[in-house]
Amino acid sequence: MGETRIFLHDTPSGAKRPFEPLDPANVRMYVCGPTVYDRAHIGNARPVVTFDVLFRLLRHEYGEDSVTYARNFTDVDDKINARALEMRAAGDPRPLEEIVRSLTDGTIAWYHADMDALGALRPTHEPRATDYIDAMIAMIARLVERGCAYVAEGHVLFDVTADPDYGTLSHRSLEEMQAGARVEVAPYKKNPMDFVLWKPSDDELPGWDSPWGRGRPGWHIECSVMSEALLGPDFDIHGGGIDLLFPHHENERAQSCCGREGCTFARYWLHNGYLRIEGEKMSKSLGNFFTVRDLLDQGVPGEVIRFVLLSTHYRQPLDWTAKKVEEARAVLARWREVAAGAEAAGEVPAPVLAALKDDLNTPRAIAEMHRLAGAGEGAALVAAGRLLGLLDPELGGWFAASGPGAREAALVEALLAARSAARKARDFTRADAIRDALVAAGIVVMDRPGGAAEWKARPDFDKGHLAEAARLLENAEEKRDV
């Protein structure tokens, strides 16, 4: 491990703490994964990229074989059931449970493809909730036996008053939560904040036999069981989006700690901030909701998406804008030019590593990479990029395809010929318009003695802008001929 210690901002303490793993030879991290019924939207991608960088950093510091990262798939949930019922109503003839399995299998495949495109490493473990039902039943039974949960009308509910520390993770008192409770207060609940561990299923819905009847688990118990099964009752880091802090993470911590004597569960809790779109909350009603696949299909490279997500510190709100996307594309193109042909240096540059060790300060690391690129230090730039999941050859296809091909080169030559003709005709307005259009498309024009012109494409060359320039000039030519 390097000399400088890693510091991480811990949500319960509200401060940066030096990271001290329970076992440096077995560093363990759990991150809440997706509920698999639809494509991952851009907000879902932020925790994936954030904790991928942390995973890379931990592997760099402790060794690849000394870090275990688990991120789950929630494949039993009311949203999944609702989508499956919609599919059946639309004409799918299969039994509902078969539809559910097909839906979740397909959505997991989508998720893998989309997150792979962002350069995210696969976690060590990707458990599916449905593979741990027996363990969930066992944990719920243990909570009932310890007096921390109770059975009511086919449901098993966690009694929040059984946990004296309930609310400490999210910095809320039980009294405040009760006063402002927006949860559905079922008549069988002892306390409005009590939450479901097990719920009944009818003959049609997915369900499993249990001591409390045929049913299915509540959402919160799933992560407690999977993290314990794969990482042990106590582990190092639990991560996720800030939207999961309450009630999901608060409930996870409560049931895990109450279910086992002396259990502390996660020692560090990390949460990434919200994501907004052009200054507004992402919402289908506002028409600004889009998935990672939408962006990829629109031609936004996965590496560019990753860069934008890392350009703001993970704990701060991130405003996704079209301007940031274009800036990221141009920056990465410049970096890839500098890094062309360079092999990663043996060591990550110390300022980059120090930035990431300081609570994953990716904006500071990116600023240092700007300095490296400006100094032409290609090998160091590649080494830094690899730790952030950038400048990887597997993500570089977009850059290799971004320069002008034969068709675009011929179009540039034609535009330069039109500019030369305009200059000879002393139509300097038209000549300047052509030059401006080429510059806007990312073409550098160099006039030589004797009237000849040479050109080269900048890293931010844009085929779309070049085609638009040609169309504008064609329209202008048609008007001149009329």
Side-chain angles (χ1 to χ4, degrees), residues 286-457:
L286 293 175
N288 64 357
F289 180 95
F290 49 86
T291 67
V292 172
R293 180 51 50 181
D294 290 334
L295 290 171
L296 294 171
D297 288 346
Q298 291 164 15
V300 181
E303 186 178 32
V304 170
I305 297 171
R306 184 183 183 94
F307 185 99
V308 175
L309 294 175
L310 294 177
S311 63
T312 298
H313 191 277
Y314 79 93
R315 285 193 290 110
Q316 300 302 316
L318 187 155
D319 190 22
W320 179 279
T321 66
K323 181 179 179 182
K324 286 181 180 177
V325 170
E326 292 311 307
E327 289 173 347
R329 192 191 298 265
V331 167
L332 286 168
R334 286 196 296 272
W335 287 2
R336 282 192 171 274
E337 275 203 335
V338 173
E343 296 292 332
E347 296 292 332
V348 175
V352 173
L353 190 57
L356 295 182
K357 287 185 175 183
D358 183 15
D359 193 33
L360 299 183
N361 194 331
T362 54
R364 199 170 91 204
I366 287 171
E368 177 60 22
M369 290 179 70
H370 279 298
R371 189 196 68 76
L372 294 170
E377 298 183 36
L381 183 66
V382 171
R386 296 290 170 82
L387 193 54
L388 277 85
L390 300 170
L391 303 181
D392 190 300
E394 292 187 8
L395 296 182
W398 71 273
F399 177 70
S402 64
R407 181 179 178 184
E408 288 76 30
L411 183 54
V412 171
E413 293 290 351
L415 288 166
L416 287 175
R419 175 174 177 262
S420 178
R423 294 177 75 182
K424 288 179 181 178
R426 305 188 65 79
D427 187 349
F428 297 113
T429 299
R430 176 172 168 75
D432 289 345
I434 294 173
R435 184 187 182 100
D436 291 345
L438 288 167
V439 170
I443 298 295
V444 177
V445 178
M446 298 160 285
D447 290 318
R448 300 301 185 200
E454 296 178 2
W455 64 276
K456 70 175 184 178

Side-chain angles (χ1 to χ4, degrees), residues 48-93:
V48 172
V49 171
T50 293
F51 293 103
D52 179 64
V53 173
L54 180 55
F55 184 36
R56 291 168 183 267
L57 177 63
L58 293 173
R59 282 158 52 106
H60 179 274
E61 293 296 291
Y62 294 95
E64 292 186 7
D65 295 334
S66 298
V67 182
T68 302
Y69 173 21
R71 186 184 65 217
N72 74 293
F73 288 116
T74 293
D75 62 346
V76 51
D77 184 86
D78 290 346
K79 290 180 180 178
I80 296 172
N81 294 341
R83 180 60 56 85
L85 287 168
E86 289 175 4
M87 293 169 66
R88 192 179 66 178
D92 194 321

